[in-house]
C-alpha cells in the first residue's frame, strides 16, 4: 500500500494526474449498476489503467444531487465482494470515495491508499484519525449542507479548508498526504460552481494539489444539454480550464480522452 501511495504522491506537481472512476452503486447518475460485480469492476479498473489512468477511485455510495444516503452496512456490503480483488487486479493505486470512517478503515485494510472524503474530514469525527493511523493520503473536498446564493463561495472554501486542515494536523496526517477539492456540484448554485473552479487560483497559497471532479456533471448538462458526446467535450473543456486555474488531478469517467488532452496541455505548460 505505502509503495503505491508514495508512487502516486511523487507524481503530484510533475504533470496532470488522471483519476479513473469505478462506481459500484446501483444509482450513480452516469454508470449506476454497471460495475457491481467483481468481474465488471475489475474489468473497468483495468480498462481505465490501460488507457492511462494514474489512480482508480472506487465508490459504493452515490453522491449525486438528490441521492439517498446509504447506511454503513450497505456500503460495506457493496464493497466486500470486490474491493480487495480490484486492488489486486491493477498495478495503479486505488482510492475509496467515502465519508464514513469505518468504510475508510476497511478499505485501507484491503490495500486502498487514498481516502476521497466528500465531507473533508468534517462529517465523521473519526475519519481523520483513521486516515492518520492507516497511513493513507486524503482528498479534502469542500461541501455544504445548504445552498445560499449570497455566499462568497471562495471565502467559504477557505474557511472550510482551514478547519479540515486543522483536523488533519491534529490527527497527525502529514501535509504532503493531503489534496484539496473545490467540490463542484456540492452545496453550490450553478454560478458558485463556476466560481469555485475559477477560485482555485486564489487558493494556491495552501501549497497543496487540487483535485476536481467535473466529469459528466449536471453543471455541464445545464450549459450544453445531455448528449453524451457533447458532455465529453464539455468535460474536457472544463477540466482544461480547471487546470489553467490550478487543478492538477482530474477525476473522470473517460480516461483515454483526458490522457490525450493533458499530454498536449502539459507539453505547452512545460514549454
Amino acid at each position: 500500500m505505502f509503495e503505491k501511495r508514495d508512487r502516486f504522491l511523487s507524481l503530484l506537481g510533475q504533470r496532470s494526474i488522471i483519476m479513473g472512476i469505478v462506481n459500484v452503486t446501483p444509482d450513480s447518475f452516469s454508470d449506476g449498476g454497471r460495475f457491481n460485480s467483481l468481474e465488471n469492476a475489475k474489468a473497468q479498473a483495468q480498462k481505465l489503467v490501460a488507457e492511462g489512468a494514474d489512480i482508480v477511485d472506487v465508490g459504493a455510495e452515490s453522491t449525486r444531487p438528490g441521492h439517498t444516503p446509504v447506511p454503513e452496512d450497505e456500503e460495506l456490503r457493496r464493497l466486500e465482494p470486490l474491493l480487495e480483488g480490484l486492488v489486486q487486479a491493477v498495478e495503479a493505486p486505488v482510492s475509496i470515495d467515502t465519508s464514513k470512517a469505518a468504510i475508510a478503515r476497511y478499505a485501507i485494510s484491503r490495500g486502498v491508499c487514498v481516502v476521497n472524503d466528500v465531507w473533508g474530514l468534517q462529517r465523521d469525527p473519526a475519519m481523520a484519525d483513521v486516515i492518520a493511523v492507516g497511513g493513507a493520503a486524503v482528498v479534502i473536498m469542500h461541501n455544504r449542507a445548504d445552498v445560499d446564493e449570497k455566499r462568497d463561495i471562495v471565502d467559504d472554501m477557505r474557511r472550510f479548508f482551514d478547519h479540515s486542515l486543522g483536523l488533519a494536523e491534529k490527527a497527525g496526517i502529514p501535509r504532503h498526504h493531503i489534496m484539496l477539492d473545490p467540490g463542484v456540484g456540492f452545496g453550490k448554485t450553478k454560478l458558485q460552481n463556476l466560481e469555485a473552479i475559477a477560485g482555485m487560483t486564489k487558493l494556491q497559497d495552501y501549497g497543496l494539489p487540487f483535485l476536481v471532479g467535473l466529469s459528466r456533471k449536471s453543471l455541464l448538462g445545464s450549459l450544453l444539454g445531455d448528449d453524451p458526446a457533447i458532455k465529453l467535450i464539455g468535460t474536457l473543456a472544463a477540466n482544461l480550464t480547471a487546470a489553467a486555474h490550478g487543478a492538477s488531478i482530474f477525476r473522470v469517467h473517460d480516461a483515454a480522452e483526458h490522457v490525450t488532452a493533458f499530454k498536449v496541455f502539459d507539453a505547452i505548460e512545460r514549454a
Side-chain angles (χ1 to χ4, degrees):
M1 169 192 149
F2 294 144
E3 179 186 354
K4 286 186 175 182
R5 179 202 67 194
D6 293 343
R7 179 158 30 98
F8 169 70
L9 293 174
S10 71
L11 294 175
L12 299 176
Q14 302 300 312
R15 59 171 173 80
S16 301
I17 306 300
I18 303 302
M19 173 184 277
I21 300 169
V22 178
N23 286 317
V24 294
T25 59
D27 58 344
S28 290
F29 69 90
S30 179
D31 51 9
R34 291 182 58 195
F35 309 119
N36 290 359
S37 70
L38 174 58
E39 181 181 351
N40 289 348
K42 282 171 56 176
Q44 179 65 4
Q46 289 169 337
K47 174 179 180 289
L48 290 165
V49 173
E51 291 176 347
D54 300 290
I55 184 169
V56 174
D57 191 49
V58 179
E61 177 181 15
S62 173
T63 52
R64 62 181 174 80
H67 74 282
T68 300
V70 174
E72 181 182 295
D73 59 346
E74 172 62 16
E75 192 171 345
L76 185 61
R77 187 192 66 78
R78 295 175 182 179
L79 289 169
E80 281 182 329
L82 56 82
L83 185 59
E84 186 171 7
L86 187 153
V87 169
Q88 294 174 354
V90 293
E91 184 61 26
V94 174
S95 60
I96 184 71
D97 180 0
T98 188
S99 57
K100 300 181 182 72
I103 301 300
R105 184 184 297 109
Y106 169 79
I108 292 168
S109 75
R110 296 302 186 271
V112 164
C113 61
V114 179
V115 176
N116 183 8
D117 184 357
V118 299
W119 281 99
L121 308 178
Q122 296 186 34
R123 173 57 62 90
D124 189 327
M127 181 65 93
D129 287 333
V130 165
I131 292 169
V133 170
V138 61
V139 179
I140 290 173
M141 196 194 83
H142 174 266
N143 207 337
R144 293 204 59 89
D146 64 308
V147 177
D148 180 357
E149 64 181 13
K150 297 178 182 177
R151 182 175 290 125
D152 184 319
I153 206 64
V154 178
D155 284 350
D156 195 77
M157 287 162 61
R158 185 176 291 280
R159 287 191 295 272
F160 184 97
F161 290 145
D162 285 346
H163 181 46
S164 293
L165 290 170
L167 295 173
E169 182 178 13
K170 183 178 179 181
I173 300 173
R175 195 169 176 92
H176 70 280
H177 286 184
I178 299 173
M179 294 149 274
L180 304 178
D181 181 342
V184 174
F186 293 82
K188 300 172 182 68
T189 66
K190 176 181 174 181
L191 177 59
Q192 287 170 339
N193 282 317
L194 299 173
E195 291 171 341
I197 297 169
M200 287 184 291
T201 304
K202 300 178 181 179
L203 301 172
Q204 295 301 306
D205 55 310
Y206 281 115
L208 295 171
F210 270 87
L211 178 150
V212 290
L214 305 175
S215 186
R216 305 180 185 176
K217 284 282 176 79
S218 59
L219 170 67
L220 302 175
S222 71
L223 294 170
L224 303 170
D226 289 325
D227 180 278
I230 298 299
K231 260 196 173 179
L232 172 57
I233 295 170
T235 298
L236 287 163
N239 278 324
L240 289 166
T241 303
H245 285 86
S248 57
I249 312 157
F250 305 88
R251 185 178 182 272
V252 302
H253 297 86
D254 306 287
E257 293 85 348
H258 282 84
V259 168
T260 300
F262 279 104
K263 280 182 180 177
V264 177
F265 179 88
D266 289 339
I268 294 171
E269 286 295 291
R270 284 194 298 271

